[in-house]
């Protein structure tokens, strides 16, 4: 059973930075793409960033391009989301996600596995 555990959320002022972490267990981490999604209050969950199984391909939502960076450390079974220049509209619960597609370049729009989420609040 794949398990994902996020950490690193919190309260930060606009313009600040946070780094989210997600530790994966239950299968060979390095063989699967990983992604981050977020859900703001009253809104649907949306794609934020994804990284391929190899780490060579990254994909971002337009709203975070140039500000967020996704990375992975296969030795630690961990994927990260470095968030810089944060804005109040980045306030959301951030979820780590992955799916069953072996050696995929991107996480699907409907991942099979989700973490419990971590709250990020950006004050103006």
């Amino acid at each position: 059973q794949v398990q994902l555990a996020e950490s690193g959320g919190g309260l930060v002022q606009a313009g600040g930075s946070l780094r989210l972490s997600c530790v994966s267990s239950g299968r060979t981490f390095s063989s699967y793409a990983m992604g981050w999604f977020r859900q703001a209050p009253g809104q649907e969950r949306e794609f934020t960033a994804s990284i391929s199984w190899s780490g060579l391909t990254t994909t971002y939502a337009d709203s975070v391009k140039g500000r967020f960076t996704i990375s992975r450390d296969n030795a630690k079974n961990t994927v990260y989301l470095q968030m810089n220049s944060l804005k109040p509209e980045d306030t959301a619960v951030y979820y780590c996600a992955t799916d069953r597609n072996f050696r995929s370049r991107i996480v699907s729009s409907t991942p099979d596995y989700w973490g419990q989420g971590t709250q990020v609040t950006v004050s103006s």
Side-chain angles (χ1 to χ4, degrees):
Q1 179 71 14
V2 176
Q3 293 186 324
L4 304 172
E6 304 98 334
S7 62
L11 174 63
V12 63
Q13 289 188 335
S17 298
L18 281 175
R19 188 177 80 156
L20 306 183
S21 301
C22 171
V23 179
S24 174
S25 61
R27 66 179 184 184
T28 304
F29 176 77
S30 59
S31 296
Y32 297 90
M34 299 293 297
W36 289 94
F37 292 70
R38 67 186 185 182
Q39 186 168 19
Q43 298 186 22
E44 294 188 353
R45 195 174 299 185
E46 63 177 13
F47 170 80
T48 304
S50 178
I51 186 166
S52 64
W53 70 277
S54 65
L56 296 178
T57 301
T58 56
T59 309
Y60 297 93
D62 288 342
S63 58
V64 307
K65 279 181 183 176
R67 300 188 298 121
F68 290 11
T69 302
I70 188 171
S71 62
R72 65 191 299 157
D73 184 340
N74 289 338
K76 295 182 178 179
N77 289 354
T78 301
V79 61
Y80 303 98
L81 185 67
Q82 178 67 45
M83 306 185 294
N84 298 330
S85 302
L86 282 162
K87 305 175 182 179
E89 50 263 45
D90 294 319
T91 295
V93 178
Y94 284 73
Y95 297 90
C96 177
T98 187
D99 46 36
R100 298 188 178 97
N101 300 326
F102 185 69
R103 293 188 176 179
S104 176
R105 295 180 64 191
I106 187 171
V107 172
S108 72
S109 59
T110 55
D112 300 298
Y113 306 105
W114 295 90
Q116 81 286 354
T118 186
Q119 177 71 47
V120 172
T121 303
V122 184
S123 63
S124 56

